[in-house]
Amino acid sequence: MNLCKEMLYTTCQSVRNQGSYSPISCVASHQLRLLYSSLSTAIASSWSRALTQISPYTFASVGIAISIGVSVLGAAWGIYITGSSLIGAAIKAPRITSKNLISVIFCEAVAIYGVIVAIILQTKLESVPASKIYDPESLRAGYAIFASGIIVGFANLMCGLCVGIIGSSCALSDAQNSTLFVKILVIEIFGSALGLFGVIVGIIMSSQATWPAKTT
Amino acid sequence: MSRVIKKFFIASMVMWIAPVAILYGFNNHIFPGTSKLSSSSQTLVSGFLAVISVNLVIVLYIIMAIKEPGSNMEHQPDPAFLAEAKASINQPAAVTTDDNAQTREKAE
């Protein structure tokens, strides 16, 4: 009973302060706000503490794995889509094979971007003494390598898929009408630029991943 | 056909070896003047040079593939098969010619 009176009193005060004229919603929102803030500080502190206690090496290694693993996934997907259409269309029109291998080369370039960034990232991974492993600077380096890997991996995944599907229609339409090849190649160049964007941002992101110096 | 495959294979190999060699050279200071760069600019320069080399190989392969004459290797049907097909068309028996006409229409 006392609690209800207290709630009503604080509600009326807040109504007067805020000038809002709907006390029921005011009570509900006030209580919810109190509950939310106490819960959120509890939840936020435990989650953020858990996240910052994960070693930055974990994030960095997962980033390197994603950069090459997911890029190769995209490249392989593109190559098998293009390759199966190319081989099928070349039954009746064998002249298309020499020009349409360009699509396969585009897809393979996507895989090579992943390899380049993985090599760059693994040179960025250095050991720090155990006392400095949770310093903000080394967390930053770990997160930068992780982000760089994800950027490159997923950009290349979509780029490989895109170039693969375009390359497959390129092969099929070239078999019917060879004047269409150059026009579809232009679309494929735009598609392959997507992977390039990912690589550029990934390299720039990884260049600023500096770990704290070894000397104390 | 083997010329096509050889060109493709060489382009693929160069596309792999060139960027890895560039990265290796920059990281182990094989190229002259690379030891003066700070770590972040070394990463940037080596990364961009590697990506540019891959794109250069792609452009060279596109030029090589489009310039190719192409129509020299026309698809020639096997001469033995051709002779057998011609012989089966000119068969004197009426039944076999009817059958051949039907199969030819189906193939159309």
Side-chain angles (χ1 to χ4, degrees), chain B residues 20-34:
Chain B
V20 174
I22 289 178
L23 284 174
Y24 182 79
F26 269 89
N27 287 336
N28 298 12
H29 304 293
I30 294 179
F31 296 133
T34 50

Side-chain angles (χ1 to χ4, degrees), chain A residues 1-215:
Chain A
M1 229 21 227
N2 256 345
L3 191 59
C4 293
K5 274 196 210 161
E6 213 175 287
M7 273 172 51
L8 270 177
Y9 184 60
T10 50
T11 311
C12 296
Q13 272 204 329
S14 56
V15 163
R16 253 177 275 143
N17 292 342
Q18 294 174 23
S20 115
Y21 290 100
S22 124
I24 295 180
S25 68
C26 203
V27 169
S29 66
H30 188 62
Q31 291 304 318
L32 274 174
R33 237 177 285 140
L34 276 178
L35 192 64
Y36 177 69
S37 67
S38 65
L39 251 181
S40 67
T41 45
I43 290 177
S45 67
S46 67
W47 273 109
S48 63
R49 209 182 306 139
L51 282 173
T52 53
Q53 290 291 316
I54 298 179
S55 163
Y57 295 138
T58 310
F59 282 114
S61 311
V62 170
I64 296 175
I66 288 181
S67 100
I68 178 142
V70 178
S71 302
V72 167
L73 180 66
W77 203 335
I79 290 183
Y80 83 63
I81 291 178
T82 287
S84 44
S85 296
L86 185 54
I87 293 176
I91 295 174
K92 285 286 202 165
R95 57 177 168 79
I96 65 168
T97 46
S98 56
K99 286 206 285 189
N100 286 90
L101 285 174
I102 291 176
S103 309
V104 179
I105 291 260
F106 272 129
C107 287
E108 194 178 335
V110 159
I112 290 175
Y113 293 154
V115 172
I116 291 175
V117 172
I119 293 179
I120 290 178
L121 291 180
Q122 66 93 17
T123 60
K124 286 284 169 189
L125 198 59
E126 342 174 319
S127 303
V128 291
S131 57
K132 297 198 171 194
I133 200 171
Y134 293 111
D135 277 2
E137 197 175 332
S138 79
L139 287 179
R140 169 181 175 247
Y143 293 146
I145 297 180
F146 180 57
S148 175
I150 286 192
I151 289 169
V152 169
F154 286 99
N156 285 338
L157 170 67
M158 286 290 109
C159 170
L161 189 54
C162 166
V163 171
I165 296 181
I166 298 177
S168 135
S169 353
C170 186
L172 295 172
S173 54
D174 190 21
Q176 289 279 338
N177 177 2
S178 39
T179 61
L180 290 174
F181 176 72
V182 181
K183 298 174 188 152
I184 300 186
L185 197 64
V186 172
I187 304 178
E188 214 167 313
I189 292 175
F190 276 106
S192 122
L194 302 173
L196 205 56
F197 298 156
V199 170
I200 290 175
V201 174
I203 291 179
I204 293 177
M205 188 83 197
S206 72
S207 70
Q208 44 125 350
T210 46
W211 300 82
K214 287 206 174 63
T215 56

